[in-house]
Amino acid sequence: MTDRFFLYDDSEDTTTRFVSFMGENQRFDLAIITTTRYYGKKLVLNMLSSRYAIIGTDDLEEDNYLETVFELSEEDGQELREFLYNVI
């Protein structure tokens, strides 16, 4: 067996906020993780769809970013965007 080569192997204390809310068309169950990694962005996990992304305000302003990453309709993406602007 060969030795495993790690790019990094760190432990860190993080803060996780669990949020559930109902949009017009669907429910969102999110875990929002704050860490010192990712240049101030947050790790956002959608627990219902098993999809996640590292998101900052610049990503929220990018056209169709949330819709693509979380596989959402334009309307659902806008609801999530409006919520995340208050969190991120």
Side-chain angles (χ1 to χ4, degrees), residues 4 11 17 35 62 78 80 85:
R4 189 170 311 259
S11 295
R17 177 179 176 187
T35 175
E62 188 176 325
Q78 186 57 35
L80 180 57
Y85 264 121

Side-chain angles (χ1 to χ4, degrees), residues 37-78:
R37 295 186 184 266
Y38 313 124
Y39 307 101
K41 296 184 178 194
K42 299 193 189 278
L43 180 59
V44 179
L45 294 85
N46 183 340
M47 295 179 288
L48 292 176
S49 68
S50 299
R51 300 192 58 86
Y52 65 92
I54 299 167
I55 300 177
T57 54
D58 59 325
D59 301 306
L60 296 176
E61 295 166 1
E62 188 176 325
D63 289 340
N64 296 314
Y65 180 75
L66 294 180
E67 292 82 353
T68 301
V69 170
F70 291 108
E71 295 182 344
L72 299 171
S73 69
E74 186 176 331
E75 182 180 2
D76 293 338
Q78 186 57 35

